Amino acid sequence: MPDPNGFLRYPRRMPARRPVPVRISDWREVYPPAGAELIREQATRCMDCGIPFCHSDTAGCPLANRIPDWNDLVRTANWDAAVESLHATNNFPEFTGRLCPAPCEAACVLGIGGGEPVTIKQVEVEIADAAAARGLAPRPAPTPSGRSVAVVGSGPAGLAAAQQLARAGHAVTVYERDDAIGGLLRYGIPDFKLEKRHIDARLAQLAAEGVVFRTGVNVGVDVTAEQLRAQHDAVLLACGALQGRETDTVGRRLRGVHQAMAHLVAANRVVAAAGEGRPALATLPDGTPIDAAGRHVVIIGGGDTAADCLGVAHRQGAAGVHQLDLYPRPPQGRDEARDPWPTWPWVLREYPAHEEGGERVFAVAVEEFVDDGTGAVRAVRIVEVTVEKRDGRRFVTTVPGTERELPADLVLLAIGFEGTEEQPLLAQFGVSRNARGAVDSRADWQTGADGVFVAGDMHRGASLIVWAIAEGRAAAAAIHAYLGGSGTLPAPVDPTTRALAAR
C-alpha cells in the first residue's frame, strides 16, 4: 500500500548538480548520485493511481514501465525487487534514466492543474545504478534455438532486440559500421549526459549472454545483404535516423557551418581517445577541425541536440555561444488550453547546459551566413519572426526592421533529422524510404522483404530513447514468432502506436 500522504509531505526535489565551474572543466556526468533518503522521499510521493497514466503507451512510457510498483519498492527499501521490476520492462534503464525527457512525468497525475509530478526519471536511474553496483548478471538462454539473427545497427533499438532474442535462445550477431558499439549512445551523446562506462557494462552483459558484436562492418558495402541473409535466418534493420535536416540559407556552404551531429561525434571521439590515453583532435572525417575552442558559436535549434552542442561548446572553451530558436519563448508551465494533461506539453525546458553559459534567442530566423571574404563564416544575420500554425502547416513571417548580426565563426545546425540515411543496404534488401525518410513495416514489423524487420528511429523517425527500446523489444517478439520460437516475448507497442498529442 503506498503512502497516501506522501505527495503532501514531500515536495518535488532533485539532487544538486555538480557546480558549474567544476563540471565544465571535465566531461563527467552533471548529476552526482542522489542520497538514499532523497530518493526514498521522492518515491514516496507516488500515489499508485487507480489509472497510472505514467506508463500508458500513448500518454506516458511506451515501455509500460511498472512505475508505481518500483516507486513503492524503493519507498520500502526493497531494492532487489525494485531492480527486478524495472528490468522486467526495460533492458537499459541506466540509459533512459539519463537521456529520456520523461513523458511519464508529463503524464503523472500529480501534474494535473500545474502540480509537481513525481521525479520518476531520477528514481529510475538510481535503481539502475544500484543494479550496476551489484553487477549486471547475465541471463543466457538455457537451450539454443538453432536459429540465427543479424541485427544491423547498435543503438538502443538494436541492442534491446539483440538482448531479447539472445535470451530466447537465438544466435545474435550485431553489425555496426562504426569502430565501437553503441550507435548514438556512443558517439552522439556527450559524456556529461552519459558516461560510456554504462554502455560498456551493458555490452559485457550482452556478450556473456551470447551476443556477438562485429564493428567496422558497413552492411551493404563490406558485406552484402545477400551474404547476410545467407548467414542468418532473419535480419533486423535498426540503423537509426541520422540524416540531418538541411537548410538552403545563403552561405550554407561556408567553412565553419556544420551539422550539429558532426560536432558532437568529433567531440565524443576526442573524449573517448583521451580516456584511452590517445591524443586526438576534434575533426571531421576529412580532417577539418571542428573544435569550439576560442570561437564564437551559434547553435540553430532548440531541442536536445542543440543543448548537447551547447554543453560541448562550454567544455571546449568557446568564446561565446548563442542558441537560436525559431519559436517564441515557451511558457514556464503547461497551458491546459493548448496542451491538456496528460499530453506532452510545450514548456520552456532548461537543460543543465543553459546554466553553464550562453544566450538563448527566441523567435528569430537566420537570413544569411555571412562570408568573411575568404569563404569562411564570420557572422549570422538574423531577423525576428512570428510563427503561426494553421491547418497543420507552419507560417513564418519576418518582422521588418529587426535584422541584426551575431558574430559566428562556428555554426551548428541542430534543426532535426530527415529520417534514415540513403545507403546501399536499402536497395540490396529491397526496401526504400517513405516520404518521411523512414522505412515502413507491416503489422509484424517485417518490411516488404520477407524475413527482414525494422525497428527504432529507422522505422518511426527520430524519436525518444524509450520508443527505440520499446520498438526493439516488440520487433524481437515478432522475429521470435517468425522463427518459430516457443512461447512469446513482450511486445509493448505495435508499428502504428503513436504518442498522444494535443490537437
Side-chain angles (χ1 to χ4, degrees):
M1 177 69 185
D3 184 339
N5 298 312
F7 72 98
L8 297 173
R9 291 192 292 119
Y10 301 115
R12 176 183 168 100
R13 284 199 302 142
M14 294 286 290
R17 298 164 179 160
R18 297 170 60 218
V20 170
V22 174
R23 72 183 192 234
I24 64 172
S25 67
D26 61 38
W27 295 88
R28 289 169 48 217
E29 290 178 6
V30 168
Y31 287 100
E37 185 60 23
L38 172 62
I39 293 303
R40 189 196 66 79
E41 285 184 2
Q42 295 307 298
T44 301
R45 297 184 70 239
C46 179
M47 299 185 296
D48 192 11
C49 311
I51 301 177
F53 285 85
C54 57
H55 59 83
S56 158
D57 59 359
T58 56
C61 180
L63 282 167
N65 280 335
R66 302 168 182 172
I67 295 166
D69 291 0
W70 41 257
N71 271 329
D72 198 53
L73 290 166
V74 169
R75 179 184 71 87
T76 56
N78 193 344
W79 286 89
D80 289 340
V83 167
E84 288 299 315
S85 180
L86 180 56
H87 280 95
T89 57
N90 188 351
N91 297 75
F92 313 124
E94 66 275 24
F95 302 161
T96 54
R98 287 172 167 83
L99 303 177
C100 182
C104 53
E105 294 186 16
C108 177
V109 169
L110 286 181
I112 297 176
E116 300 246 276
V118 175
T119 59
I120 299 169
K121 179 174 166 178
Q122 189 63 42
V123 176
E124 176 184 30
V125 81
E126 294 299 330
I127 299 172
D129 287 352
R134 290 165 168 78
L136 298 172
R139 298 182 179 181
T143 307
S145 70
R147 310 305 293 272
S148 173
V149 182
V151 176
V152 185
S154 67
L159 292 180
Q163 184 166 61
Q164 293 295 99
L165 290 165
R167 288 177 172 179
H170 307 300
V172 181
T173 302
V174 176
Y175 295 85
E176 170 58 55
R177 67 183 178 183
D178 240 324
D179 60 352
I181 294 293
L184 283 185
L185 295 172
R186 176 70 63 178
Y187 288 132
I189 304 296
D191 281 48
F192 56 78
K193 287 178 66 175
L194 176 71
E195 292 181 19
K196 302 309 180 274
R197 59 187 173 87
H198 301 296
I199 303 174
D200 295 336
R202 193 60 77 172
L203 294 180
Q205 182 192 44
L206 266 69
E209 292 171 351
V211 178
V212 174
F213 298 109
R214 292 191 59 189
T215 57
V217 179
N218 189 354
V219 174
V221 178
D222 302 316
V223 58
T224 67
E226 183 180 2
Q227 290 172 321
L228 212 62
R229 299 195 70 171
Q231 297 169 16
H232 302 280
D233 299 302
V235 177
L236 173 63
L237 303 179
C239 304
L242 302 177
Q243 185 67 52
R245 182 169 288 122
E246 266 298 344
T247 177
D248 57 2
T249 302
V250 175
R252 166 62 183 93
R253 300 304 165 192
L254 293 175
R255 294 194 309 277
V257 182
H258 305 283
Q259 284 287 342
M261 196 52 64
H263 181 232
L264 294 176
V265 170
N268 271 291
R269 288 188 177 279
V270 170
V271 175
E276 297 167 1
R278 298 185 289 108
L281 297 174
T283 63
L284 296 176
D286 64 2
T288 303
I290 192 171
D291 199 309
R295 294 186 173 188
H296 293 281
V297 181
V298 170
I299 303 166
I300 303 174
D304 283 11
T305 301
D308 290 349
C309 289
L310 180 62
V312 168
H314 294 324
R315 285 158 181 77
Q316 289 180 335
V321 189
H322 287 88
Q323 182 184 344
L324 311 183
D325 197 323
L326 182 69
Y327 293 95
R329 187 182 185 91
Q332 291 285 346
R334 183 194 294 270
D335 181 344
E336 290 290 349
R338 172 195 167 101
D339 304 311
W341 178 90
T343 60
W344 181 249
W346 182 62
V347 296
L348 181 66
R349 290 184 165 82
E350 297 277 4
Y351 297 85
H354 291 125
E355 71 178 2
E356 296 168 359
E359 180 181 348
R360 300 176 82 173
V361 185
F362 293 93
V364 295
V366 176
E367 289 191 315
E368 181 183 357
F369 302 115
V370 183
D371 195 333
D372 71 350
T374 70
V377 66
R378 70 163 181 82
V380 295
R381 182 170 295 119
I382 63 173
V383 63
E384 294 179 13
V385 298
T386 59
V387 182
E388 292 182 274
K389 284 189 175 181
R390 298 193 300 271
D391 300 324
R393 298 178 62 190
R394 184 180 70 186
F395 296 87
V396 180
T397 306
T398 61
V399 180
T402 60
E403 298 85 356
R404 60 189 173 109
E405 287 188 3
L406 297 175
D409 33 31
L410 176 62
V411 177
L412 302 173
L413 305 177
I415 53 179
F417 299 88
E418 294 185 334
T420 197
E421 296 169 294
E422 189 63 64
Q423 49 191 311
L425 69 82
L426 295 177
Q428 291 181 19
F429 278 113
V431 300
S432 59
R433 304 194 310 165
N434 60 26
R436 299 179 297 106
V439 174
D440 290 325
S441 77
R442 304 198 296 260
D444 62 356
W445 297 94
Q446 283 192 79
T447 65
D450 181 64
V452 179
F453 298 74
V454 65
D457 287 1
M458 192 175 190
H459 167 255
R460 70 182 295 114
S463 186
L464 308 183
I465 185 172
V466 282
W467 280 98
I469 296 173
E471 290 212 354
R473 288 171 67 90
I479 293 170
H480 180 67
Y482 172 82
L483 297 176
S486 60
T488 59
L489 299 182
V493 294
D494 65 50
T496 63
T497 307
R498 293 292 182 270
L500 183 66
R503 293 186 181 274

